[in-house]
Every structure is written in C-alpha cells, then in structure tokens.
Amino acid sequence: AQSVSQHNHHVILSEAASLELGCNYSYGGTVNLFWYVQYPGQHLQLLLKYFSGDPLVKGIKGFEAEFIKSKFSFNLRKPSVQWSDTAEYFCAVTYTGGFKTIFGAGTRLFVKA
Amino acid sequence: EAGVTQFPSHSVIEKGQTVTLRCDPISGHDNLYWYRRVMGKEIKFLLHFVKESKQDESGMPNNRFLAERTGGTYSTLKVQPAELEDSGVYFCASSPVGYGGQYFGPGTRLTVT
C-alpha cells in the first residue's frame, strides 16, 4: 500500500537552530509532493509543493524542501527556526493521475524562545 | 475571499446515533475532498468529488458513511449509525481545477461515546 513516513513525531529546538524534517514515500510511480503546516488553532495550509523541475523547492516563511528521487525522500529544511514556527508539519504525496493525497503521521515541532 | 468552512466544529454523539457533517468549499472550487484524522495518526483520505460527482471514494471506511455534494456546492458526510471507532477530526478541503494543493477547513471533531 502507498504510504508516507515521517521520521520524527516530536522535535524540540531552540530559536535560531536549523531544522530538517525527514519524509519518505513508498514507490508508486511519478509523484507530486507537498508539505503542509498546521499552526496552533489554525487550518492546515500548504507550505510548499513539488511537481517537476528543480528538485529544490522554496516555500513560504523561509522553508525549503529537496526531492531526492533515488531515496524516495522529500525532506523539509529551514536554516534558522523562530518561535512562530511551532506547529505540526505534514508531508503528503499524490501519485500522478490521481487526486488521492496520502499524508504522513505529522511531526510536532516546538521551538523554545 | 471566504475559506473552507465546516459545521459543526464539535459533535458529541452516542454510539448508534446519526451525525451529519457539512462542508462549504471555497466558491468556484470544483474539487472537494474529505479526510479523517484519528488521534495521533495520519490524516486519511476518504473521498474526492469533482463538482457533484464522486471521483474516488476508495477511502470510505464502510457503508455507514455516505457523502453527497449537492449541485456541486456544499457537501455533507453522514455517519449512520456511528460507532466508537468513528471518533476523530474530519477535514474537508477544496481546490480549483489545475491547482496542486488543497485548501483545508478547520475540521469537525467528532466524539462517539
């Protein structure tokens, strides 16, 4: 079955630390990849997406993600986190030709001020 | 522009009762999706509408769940009769044709006791 695996369920960082959240998806063909974020009390919102082209994708709020096809990975990075980045982050995938989005279990990030 | 709205925000019902959840997508969005998140687990796809037609309902757990989308506008998800394992947060999302990501609503938290 198609699945998405997020490596960490909880991450605690201090402000200004660098962030990398791991995400791997199961093979199933050509993929579209997403990171969504849910800030406390807010809706899920799209952080960034990859469809094709440059495998390094830049999103909002200084986030970026790199698609490594050979590793079936789409890790999320930010060089310097802020307290306001405290949120839950979800990696997700759709397989080309379909609309069904498969989500990972989420990573809760807490940034200490 | 109004976002995706869901009603109610919370619902507590007893096992065996019926509950109907409503989703109003962003105006003009042909794609509408339903997802469910059981506590601490991944967000799971339930089904996808394009306008009023069901395109993919492979994620619907069983025939106690019935989704409709009237005239391609709002959608309802009915659970009848509810079981304890139906508890969770039900998310609705919408997107326009050709857009890769989805806009999520705030979710309905359903508790079956």
Side-chain angles (χ1 to χ4, degrees), chain A residues 13-99:
Chain A
L13 295 173
S14 297
E15 275 197 314
S18 64
L19 170 72
E20 181 160 3
L21 301 182
C23 171
N24 288 88
Y25 62 93
S26 59
Y27 174 75
T30 306
V31 294
N32 299 320
L33 295 156
F34 308 86
W35 277 96
Y36 285 87
V37 60
Q38 187 169 28
Y39 297 102
Q42 295 188 27
H43 304 187
L44 266 164
Q45 58 184 282
L46 184 66
L47 200 54
L48 49 79
K49 61 184 178 180
Y50 171 82
F51 278 25
S52 62
D54 189 344
L56 186 62
V57 180
K58 295 197 184 296
I60 59 172
K61 304 188 181 185
F63 285 90
E64 64 179 31
E66 185 176 13
F67 171 50
I68 302 179
K69 189 175 179 180
S70 60
K71 295 184 178 180
F72 304 103
S73 71
F74 191 55
N75 292 355
L76 181 71
R77 299 195 293 248
K78 186 172 184 178
S80 176
V81 294
Q82 300 172 310
W83 175 80
S84 58
D85 293 324
T86 294
E88 189 162 18
Y89 293 81
F90 296 89
C91 182
V93 62
T94 60
Y95 292 86
T96 300
F99 289 85

Side-chain angles (χ1 to χ4, degrees), chain B residues 10-112:
Chain B
H10 293 86
S11 180
V12 181
I13 61 172
E14 293 184 353
K15 177 182 171 180
Q17 291 186 319
T18 297
V19 64
T20 300
L21 314 181
R22 173 171 171 142
C23 168
D24 286 80
I26 293 172
S27 177
H29 283 193
D30 286 346
N31 293 303
L32 187 148
Y33 310 82
W34 282 97
Y35 296 89
R36 178 175 70 178
R37 189 182 193 196
V38 173
M39 189 187 301
K41 302 223 171 158
E42 69 272 20
I43 299 168
K44 281 202 165 178
F45 170 87
L46 296 179
L47 85 159
H48 167 225
F49 285 98
V50 175
K51 297 186 179 178
E52 66 274 10
S53 299
K54 291 177 190 174
Q55 292 296 298
D56 182 350
E57 51 184 329
S58 61
M60 294 287 264
N62 50 59
N63 59 10
R64 296 185 294 102
F65 288 75
L66 175 64
E68 295 179 322
R69 189 176 182 193
T70 305
T73 57
Y74 71 91
S75 175
T76 57
L77 180 64
K78 181 191 285 188
V79 185
Q80 179 182 30
E83 298 288 345
L84 297 178
E85 64 264 25
D86 300 333
S87 295
V89 180
Y90 290 77
F91 292 101
C92 175
S94 71
S95 69
V97 173
Y99 179 70
Q102 295 167 27
Y103 296 86
F104 279 79
T108 293
R109 183 174 296 277
L110 175 64
T111 302
V112 183

Side-chain angles (χ1 to χ4, degrees), chain A residues 2-22:
Chain A
Q2 295 162 340
S3 64
V4 174
S5 175
Q6 293 187 236
H7 305 171
N8 310 95
H9 293 297
H10 293 90
V11 173
I12 301 174
L13 295 173
S14 297
E15 275 197 314
S18 64
L19 170 72
E20 181 160 3
L21 301 182

